[in-house]
Structures are given as C-alpha cells and as structure tokens.
Amino acid sequence: MSLKKRNISGSETVTEDAEALQKRLAEFGKTLARYEGRRGEIIESIRSIKRKLSAEEYKNVDEEHRIATIKFETTQMTVKDLEKYHSSLDKALLRFHSLKIEEINKIIRDLWNLTYKGEDITSIKIVSGQDSQSRASRSYNYRVVMTKGATEMDMRGRCSAGQRVLASIVIRLALAETFCVNFGCIALDEPTVNLD
C-alpha cells in the first residue's frame, strides 16, 4: 500500500513536471518563432540593401569614398601648410617693417643733422607702436620723437612750426629715399612756409 501511495504521489509530481516542461516548451516555441520572424526581417533588409548597392548610383561607391577621403586629407594638409605659411609671412612682414623703420630713421638722423643747426634738438626719429588685438586688425601708431642727449620726447606740441615743417620735409625725403628705387629729384610745394 505504501508503495502504491508512493507511486501515485510520484506520478503526480511527474505529471506536474511534465506540464511545467510543456509550458516551457511552448514559451520556447514562441520565442523561437519571434526570433525566426526577426531573422526573416533582417534577411529581407540585407537583400534590400544589396539591391540598392547594386544600383547604378552606388556602383563605384568604394572608389568614390577613397577619392573623397584623399581630398579630405589633402585639404587638411593644405590648411596646415597655409597656417605655417601665414605665420612665416607674418613674421617676415614684422621683420621687414622693423628693418625699414631702422633704415628710415638712419636717413632722418643724417638729414636732420645736415639741415638743423639748432641746439635744442639733437635728432628726430619715427617710433612705431603696434596695436594688435588680433592678426586681422593689426595696425601701427607712428609718432615723431625728438631727442636731446639721451632724453626722448614726442615732438607734437613741443616744437615750433618751423621745426615741424623741417621734420616733415626730412621725413618725406627719408621715405622717398627708402621706398623709391631711382630717386633723382623731389618737387616741393612751398617748402619754406613756416621754415626759419
């Protein structure tokens, strides 16, 4: 009797286990069907993409991509080279500017010492102050400075009208001698106005 009870109770658990396994099998079947459906969609999507890629507009897509990549990389290299060129040119212009200012000031000093016989001003020169917030807005502020010994002062407001006119003529002659190639003569309109 006890053996039968054991078999009966064992058969109930076997039946329950079988039902649970049937449910799990049904769930796996549904999951499998879902994944088969997704697989079918992916396969159809791949076929569609392959059909598009075999179309005329995508025929040489690899070669066009290679050419576009080459153009992009060469453009980047060109931009870097242009930045280097711009920086070098900027430095060269600054150097040229300082050399020309030195040359102009040497000529101004020689002409001033030749023409001005007063004792109050030893020499004059052009001083350039650079105003630069950025490269694009670079500009120079030029001013004329007079020296007496080792002391330098702005000429504006501190000299006579005759000294200003002489300084103007000397500066014009220095500029002409520096920047004109075959400087032979200069024409002045009333060069003696306010000139002592």
Side-chain angles (χ1 to χ4, degrees), residues 179-194:
F179 293 110
C180 295
V181 179
N182 295 318
F183 175 64
C185 65
I186 185 168
L188 300 171
D189 181 26
E190 300 181 39
T192 59
V193 173
N194 294 325

Side-chain angles (χ1 to χ4, degrees), residues 8-178:
I8 291 172
S9 66
S11 67
E12 286 175 3
T13 41
V14 169
T15 308
E16 288 174 0
D17 289 344
E19 288 175 1
L21 288 173
Q22 287 293 336
K23 284 182 183 177
R24 286 185 69 192
L25 183 61
E27 287 174 8
F28 284 139
K30 289 178 185 177
T31 306
L32 181 63
R34 219 174 21 247
Y35 285 135
E36 284 292 329
R38 287 185 188 170
R39 182 175 169 267
E41 289 174 6
I42 291 170
I43 289 172
E44 184 56 39
S45 175
I46 290 171
R47 283 185 193 145
S48 172
I49 290 170
K50 282 184 178 177
R51 277 194 301 271
K52 284 182 182 177
L53 287 175
S54 64
E56 190 63 34
E57 65 179 308
Y58 297 113
K59 197 169 191 176
N60 296 324
V61 73
D62 290 332
E63 181 65 18
E64 289 173 7
H65 179 264
R66 188 183 71 78
I67 291 170
T69 303
I70 291 170
K71 282 182 182 177
F72 175 74
E73 289 177 0
T74 53
T75 302
Q76 280 188 325
M77 291 167 54
T78 304
V79 167
K80 286 179 184 175
D81 288 347
L82 285 174
E83 286 173 356
K84 288 178 186 175
Y85 172 76
H86 181 266
S87 175
S88 298
L89 183 63
D90 201 34
K91 289 175 186 173
L93 284 174
L94 286 173
R95 180 72 183 136
F96 176 78
H97 179 263
S98 63
L99 289 174
K100 285 300 175 184
I101 288 290
E102 286 175 19
E103 187 178 338
I104 290 167
N105 282 333
K106 181 183 177 301
I107 295 168
I108 288 173
R109 186 174 44 253
D110 293 344
L111 289 174
W112 184 263
N113 291 334
L114 218 95
T115 56
Y116 188 70
K117 300 303 177 193
E119 296 294 322
D120 55 338
I121 300 173
T122 307
S123 66
I124 64 170
K125 67 178 180 178
I126 295 175
V127 176
S128 67
Q130 181 181 337
D131 289 338
S132 65
Q133 288 77 25
S134 68
R135 289 181 181 175
S137 65
R138 176 172 291 141
S139 64
Y140 296 93
N141 290 327
Y142 297 100
R143 54 194 176 92
V144 180
V145 174
M146 59 183 182
T147 58
K148 174 67 175 164
T151 307
E152 290 185 355
M153 290 186 291
D154 279 352
M155 206 166 178
R156 181 178 297 221
R158 292 189 175 93
C159 61
S160 69
Q163 289 169 332
R164 280 196 308 268
V165 169
L166 180 60
S168 173
I169 292 171
V170 166
I171 290 169
R172 287 178 188 173
L173 286 170
L175 289 170
E177 190 172 329
T178 302

